[in-house]
Amino acid sequence: MTQTPHDQAARHDPIYDHLAAKPEFALLRRQYRRFIIPATAVFLGWYGLYVVMSMFAPGFMNHVLFGRINVALVFGLLQFVTTFGIAYLYSQYSNKHLDPLAKLLNDEYDADRTGRKDR
């Protein structure tokens, strides 16, 4: 059985609307986008460069650096380094900028839920 939008709206808790209207929530979303959008663009650009270079510059990508290691292999391995680097940077950014705001909003939500149970 599928739920109609009316059924979902009837169960909607107004605290979510209250929290979404708070300036702290808007700041949290802004701070999140401030990191995610540039990090995603940089990573996709870096990955795109790897793909484009593999397609259009095979001579360069096949250039042997030492032993059996060529430029393409180094580029590929650097994709992993970049992924872990972005994850680390996001963790640091989140701890400093996002988590305090999220905790504030979560504490307010918990207080409101507790206050309603007491009524």
Side-chain angles (χ1 to χ4, degrees):
M1 182 170 146
T2 61
Q3 294 180 344
T4 65
H6 179 70
D7 293 339
Q8 292 173 351
R11 293 186 327 207
H12 181 72
D13 193 340
I15 184 61
Y16 298 118
D17 295 329
H18 172 73
L19 289 174
K22 294 185 70 59
E24 292 87 354
F25 185 78
L27 178 60
L28 178 64
R29 289 176 50 101
R30 215 172 21 257
Q31 293 283 12
Y32 175 75
R33 285 189 301 257
R34 185 175 169 204
F35 182 89
I36 291 300
I37 292 171
T40 301
V42 166
F43 181 77
L44 290 176
W46 166 235
Y47 179 73
L49 176 67
Y50 174 61
V51 171
V52 167
M53 294 291 285
S54 294
M55 289 185 337
F56 297 111
F60 173 72
M61 296 298 273
N62 288 330
H63 178 75
V64 176
L65 298 174
F66 53 89
R68 298 182 139 202
I69 308 298
N70 64 12
V71 173
L73 182 61
V74 172
F75 263 50
L77 292 173
L78 286 175
Q79 295 293 317
F80 289 103
V81 173
T82 304
T83 300
F84 288 112
I86 289 172
Y88 175 77
L89 291 174
Y90 177 75
S91 172
Q92 297 299 310
Y93 182 83
S94 179
N95 288 336
K96 184 176 180 181
H97 298 283
L98 303 179
D99 291 350
L101 287 170
K103 182 176 181 347
L104 179 74
L105 291 167
N106 190 54
D107 290 346
E108 184 172 331
Y109 171 79
D110 288 342
D112 186 71
R113 296 291 291 182
T114 303
R116 285 195 213 180
K117 288 180 184 177
D118 293 340
R119 292 182 210 169

